[in-house]
Amino acid sequence: MVQIRTGRRTFRQTTGAVGAVALLALGAAPAVADDATPEFAFGAFDPIKGVKTGSTFEVPATFTSTGTEPLDKVFLSYEVTRGLSHTDLPSNCLRYEVPSYDEAPSKSQAVCEFDQTVKPGVVYAPEKALTLKATSHALEDRLRMVVEAEDAGPDENASEPVRGTAPAVKLVERPDQTPATDGEEYGVVDTTVSTENTADFQVTGAQLTGKVGDTVHLKVAFTNAGPAWVLGNRDTSAADVRVKLPAGTTVTKADGFCDKLATGSYSCGTSQSWVDEGHGETYDFTVRIDKKVDGAKGSVAFAGPARPFDKVASNDTAAIGLDVTGSGASPAPSASPTSSAAPTPSAASASPTGGSDASATTGGGSSTTGGSGATTLTGDLASTGSGSVLPLAGAAVAVVGLGAGAVLLARRRAAQK
């Protein structure tokens, strides 16, 4: 919790009072609207579908200035995700490449400058529509267009600009079209470009081997074998991979991209909302072998929404095997104490007993004594027992001590007076 000192709080209160007076003074003055602020509206623009890989297509953009004054210059930009590329860029356009960052995929941006008069209420369009190309890994891509009266400049992470080499183009009026009146975010339009392509999602299983009591590592994988990259919705995993552990095992630590669904069952996602071709995720679990269960087998499989782009179903599921070496017997329970006296709290212990994702712990609940030694527990293991009793008792003693000290101090002050 952030603590604010009294002096700083007083300063903030004083500042707030001064600010309130200033706002009242501003409110008393008549508001003056800046009607000359340039605003724009794009014409109707539908999603682009049915594009073939390797082909080019035009982007027929039209816009209208909804301000009240003519403009001397406008800038029209086209931003596309990595499945699309700019082609035949006019010489009055600059292209920037922006790498992936802050959970946004990489993109390519072309900004075209039109140094000419743009009248309000008139529909304009480039005399030659900009063309884009669908690459071999295109599938579902995004296109954003923005029209502005000033150049906003490139993204701070953008590459050095590359000027187009095709002949410059200018804007032309389209008197046959009805001017648009409403725009999205003052001259911004977002749409999708769908390319006819496929992406083969695959999973890879594993084989667990060890003795009863051993702690082993499990690594299973998800891969997008392409040829297309897959871009999902923002803030959504690009895949849902279900991992089910074999019976007779306990997960002591789950992968960071995985959430527990039930005992021994996990839903694993991706680090981003997209997955490039040839890439994927590897999920790493720490697993304890509790006992030998004949025929025990786990699995890795896809779940979630349908994937119409994935035409190969044979690699959508893989097995997780379990080979318990040695006699295969579960560890024998410790002998019961023969004394009739109850064990002291320091001698009490609990032993893991099965293939669930929970185990009893001693002390503060941070370790267990199964397998080959003490193991720190993280992930989805539950902690049970009396680990919190001692800290609570200590806190109670501290409170009593503080109270006694406060009484003694009060008496001393009374005596001094």
Side-chain angles (χ1 to χ4, degrees), residues 43-49 57-60 143 145 189-194:
F45 197 92
D46 295 326
I48 301 173
K49 301 179 180 180
F57 57 96
E58 294 185 345
V59 182
L143 164 64
M145 293 179 292
V189 62
D190 289 294
T191 191
T192 57
V193 179
S194 301

Side-chain angles (χ1 to χ4, degrees), residues 114-333:
F114 298 95
D115 191 3
Q116 63 184 87
T117 300
V118 173
K119 296 175 288 187
V122 176
V123 178
Y124 287 91
E127 60 181 344
K128 181 180 179 181
L130 186 88
T131 59
L132 296 173
K133 180 179 180 179
T135 68
S136 60
H137 53 266
L139 183 64
E140 291 292 334
D141 286 273
R142 298 182 186 134
L143 164 64
R144 162 171 281 205
M145 293 179 292
V146 182
V147 58
E148 301 170 291
E150 297 181 357
D151 185 8
D155 187 287
E156 62 181 357
N157 296 290
S159 64
E160 290 297 320
V162 177
R163 185 169 294 279
T165 56
V169 297
K170 62 181 181 179
L171 297 174
V172 294
E173 297 182 9
R174 293 291 178 84
D176 56 323
Q177 297 189 18
T178 302
T181 56
D182 297 322
E184 296 182 15
E185 300 181 12
Y186 305 104
V188 178
V189 62
D190 289 294
T191 191
T192 57
V193 179
S194 301
T195 303
E196 297 179 1
N197 206 352
T198 61
D200 182 15
F201 278 16
Q202 305 175 356
V203 290
T204 304
Q207 179 73 24
L208 297 176
T209 303
K211 299 178 181 179
V212 170
D214 284 353
T215 298
V216 296
H217 287 284
L218 167 67
K219 288 188 177 182
V220 294
F222 148 66
T223 304
N224 172 19
W229 81 310
V230 175
L231 174 62
N233 295 325
R234 291 180 176 89
D235 302 322
T236 303
S237 178
D240 182 2
V241 181
R242 300 295 171 89
V243 179
K244 185 176 182 181
L245 278 297
T249 63
T250 296
V251 173
T252 59
K253 184 177 181 181
D255 189 271
F257 291 139
C258 301
D259 294 324
K260 183 178 178 180
L261 299 175
T263 299
S265 179
Y266 292 81
S267 173
C268 303
T270 56
S271 58
Q272 301 289 355
S273 60
W274 71 91
V275 56
D276 293 345
E277 68 283 2
H279 293 263
E281 302 286 353
T282 297
Y283 307 113
D284 192 350
F285 292 80
T286 303
V287 180
R288 186 180 65 240
I289 301 176
D290 295 320
K291 60 183 178 181
K292 181 176 182 179
V293 178
D294 292 337
K297 185 177 293 186
S299 63
V300 188
F302 290 110
R307 305 182 310 281
F309 54 82
D310 188 355
K311 306 300 182 182
V312 182
S314 59
N315 50 28
D316 290 352
T317 304
I320 301 175
L322 176 61
D323 181 14
V324 180
T325 60
S327 62
S330 300

Side-chain angles (χ1 to χ4, degrees), residues 4 83 278 315 342-343 346 377:
I4 302 176
N315 50 28
S346 61
L377 298 184

Side-chain angles (χ1 to χ4, degrees), residues 59-116:
V59 182
T62 63
F63 68 89
T64 303
S65 171
T66 59
T68 59
E69 300 293 334
L71 301 174
D72 296 331
K73 182 183 300 186
V74 296
F75 296 84
L76 181 60
S77 67
Y78 305 81
E79 182 181 289
V80 295
T81 50
R82 66 182 297 270
L84 306 175
S85 64
H86 296 282
T87 62
D88 298 328
L89 203 62
S91 59
N92 56 321
C93 304
L94 295 176
R95 177 176 55 83
Y96 304 91
E97 299 298 326
V98 183
S100 169
Y101 72 97
D102 286 350
E103 299 182 359
S106 59
K107 58 189 178 182
S108 180
Q109 183 180 25
V111 181
C112 302
E113 177 181 352
F114 298 95
D115 191 3
Q116 63 184 87

